[in-house]
């Protein structure tokens, strides 16, 4: 039985397909659905002017955070507020999704596939692949 679905969403086309699929599953099973957008930390390299960089970085984060909330609001338009949760988290995407799935006791994690080729997956990795390997919950990768 599926009672709670966690959807990893990053705004990509694959994530949109995953969100749509998860939405239909949630409606079918009358399940709660949580959409999570993970903002990954940007590596900081000190170049001697860290104070001004830090200030610019914080302003960029606030602007990005506002945009992410708008994206999640549009994504969940038309859904009953009672069974839907929207979250924005900070950290490595796959690790954060898996941690949140445990914390929320999600029955199913749904993520989209980016369609990376073998070389790209080797060089930069794939969030969906990491979630499949790290998560202790059932994971559905939507292509």
């Amino acid at each position: 039985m599926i009672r709670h679905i966690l959807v990893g969403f990053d705004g990509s086309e694959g994530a949109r397909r995953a969100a749509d699929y998860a939405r239909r599953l949630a409606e079918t099973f009358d399940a709660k659905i949580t959409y999570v957008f993970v903002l990954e930390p940007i590596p900081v390299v000190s170049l001697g002017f860290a104070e001004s960089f830090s200030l610019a970085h914080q302003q960029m984060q606030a602007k990005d955070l506002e945009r992410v909330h708008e994206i999640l609001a549009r994504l969940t338009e038309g859904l009953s507020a009672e069974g839907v949760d929207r979250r924005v988290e900070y950290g490595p995407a796959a690790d954060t999704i898996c941690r949140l799935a445990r914390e929320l006791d999600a029955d199913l994690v749904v993520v989209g596939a980016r369609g990376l080729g073998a070389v790209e997956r080797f060089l930069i990795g794939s969030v969906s692949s990491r979630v499949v390997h790290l998560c202790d919950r059932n994971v559905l990768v939507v292509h």
Side-chain angles (χ1 to χ4, degrees), residues 7-9 13-25 33 35 75 79 110-112 142:
V7 182
F9 187 79
E13 186 55 38
R16 288 190 191 285
R17 285 191 301 272
D20 289 342
Y21 197 93
R23 180 184 223 168
R24 290 191 305 270
L25 277 176
I33 189 165
Y35 295 94
L75 179 69
L79 292 174
V110 180
V111 292
V142 178

Side-chain angles (χ1 to χ4, degrees), residues 97-115:
I97 290 168
C98 294
R99 175 189 53 78
L100 195 56
R102 280 189 305 278
E103 287 176 10
L104 298 175
D105 196 26
D107 301 298
L108 179 66
V109 176
V110 180
V111 292
R114 285 263 180 115

Side-chain angles (χ1 to χ4, degrees), residues 2-75:
I2 298 174
R3 294 168 285 125
H4 191 173
I5 301 170
L6 176 66
V7 182
F9 187 79
D10 65 1
S12 68
E13 186 55 38
R16 288 190 191 285
R17 285 191 301 272
D20 289 342
Y21 197 93
R23 180 184 223 168
R24 290 191 305 270
L25 277 176
E27 290 169 352
T28 300
F29 289 100
D30 195 29
K32 178 177 180 173
I33 189 165
T34 300
Y35 295 94
V36 61
F37 196 115
V38 181
L39 295 171
E40 295 199 77
I42 300 170
V44 177
V45 177
S46 178
L47 300 174
F49 54 93
E51 288 179 27
S52 61
F53 177 81
S54 176
L55 181 60
H57 183 65
Q58 288 173 353
Q59 290 172 343
M60 183 173 49
Q61 282 185 343
K63 183 178 169 182
D64 291 340
L65 185 59
E66 184 178 317
R67 184 168 175 265
V68 166
H69 282 291
E70 289 171 6
I71 290 168
L72 288 174
R74 281 194 306 268
L75 179 69

Side-chain angles (χ1 to χ4, degrees), residues 76-98:
T76 58
E77 280 178 359
L79 292 174
S80 165
E82 188 175 298
V84 176
D85 189 18
R86 297 180 299 257
R87 291 177 162 240
V88 178
E89 299 278 334
Y90 293 94
D95 297 333
T96 303
I97 290 168
C98 294

